[in-house]
Amino acid sequence: MLDNLKKYRILLASKSPRRKELLEMLDIPFEIHTKDGINESYPASLPVREVAEYLSRLKGKAYSDDIESNELVITADTVVILDDKIYGKPHSEEEAVDMLMQLQGRTHTVATGVTIATKEKLVSFSTFTGVSFAPLEREEARWYVEKYRPLDKAGAYGIQEWIGCAAVAGIEGSFYNVMGLPVHQLYKTLKEEF
């Protein structure tokens, strides 16, 4: 569809099966290309709404040094924000349950930063989506965590799973952003910037 991308070998730098699935929905041919050892820390003074884009840029710069002139790499990072605090991936099942109990009955923001890099150019953007959780009992949160094991997900949940049906009362913005890749904004940026 996007003729301007035919000159590139497109690389998705992500191990996330959800990002792979979402990028496939755009019908853009791509390959998965990942590497380990990328520093994913950010300054404590960085405003929370800038963290996801900052981390995607860190990843983008790490890959852009290694790519060929005909390659284009896409990196992304997703965080959950509540009360000016970042909720990343939980380190344990108990931490995941605790995260969900802090999110329940409230509205939080899901922020995804995306960076698109070639040898000559690096473009980044952020997308924000408001997600409202209904009240959730601790035993429901524990059951979800034990069954779905959301330890690889920011905020300890996947909206496309049981919890999205049972506990997400409303959403303002991009659903796909909450899954981990704002494909509408990505498509628009690829079309206009490359």
Side-chain angles (χ1 to χ4, degrees), residues 48-54 56 77 110-115 124-129 177 182 185:
V48 292
R49 289 180 66 88
E50 295 177 20
V51 169
E53 187 171 330
Y54 177 89
S56 80
D77 200 275
V110 176
T112 301
V114 177
T115 296
S124 296
F125 62 85
S126 292
T127 301
F128 302 93
T129 304
N177 182 52
Q185 186 63 43

Side-chain angles (χ1 to χ4, degrees), residues 11-141:
L11 308 171
L12 175 62
S14 176
K15 295 176 183 172
S16 165
R18 289 160 303 282
R19 287 197 181 113
K20 176 181 181 289
E21 175 188 344
L22 292 170
L23 189 54
E24 285 171 345
M25 291 170 65
L26 287 180
D27 284 337
I28 296 169
F30 69 94
E31 300 167 37
I32 301 292
H33 178 71
T34 62
K35 65 180 184 177
D36 296 319
I38 297 174
N39 175 15
E40 293 190 38
S41 59
Y42 55 89
S45 60
L46 191 67
V48 292
R49 289 180 66 88
E50 295 177 20
V51 169
E53 187 171 330
Y54 177 89
L55 292 173
S56 80
R57 285 181 78 84
L58 271 184
K59 294 175 187 177
K61 288 176 182 174
Y63 281 94
S64 65
D65 292 341
D66 299 335
I67 61 175
E68 302 296 325
S69 59
N70 68 329
E71 293 177 325
L72 177 148
V73 66
I74 300 167
T75 59
D77 200 275
T78 301
V79 298
V80 167
I81 303 167
L82 179 68
D83 294 334
D84 218 30
K85 179 182 172 188
I86 296 285
Y87 290 76
K89 298 173 186 173
H91 297 99
S92 67
E93 287 189 10
E94 198 55 40
E95 185 181 3
V97 172
D98 289 342
M99 279 187 189
L100 291 172
M101 294 316 296
Q102 291 172 55
L103 299 178
Q104 65 89 25
R106 305 191 59 203
T107 299
H108 61 271
T109 300
V110 176
T112 301
V114 177
T115 296
I116 307 162
T118 65
K119 276 290 193 198
E120 300 81 32
K121 190 173 190 176
L122 190 136
V123 176
S124 296
F125 62 85
S126 292
T127 301
F128 302 93
T129 304
V131 180
S132 298
F133 264 37
L136 189 67
E137 295 175 11
R138 191 168 192 88
E139 51 267 26
E140 292 173 310

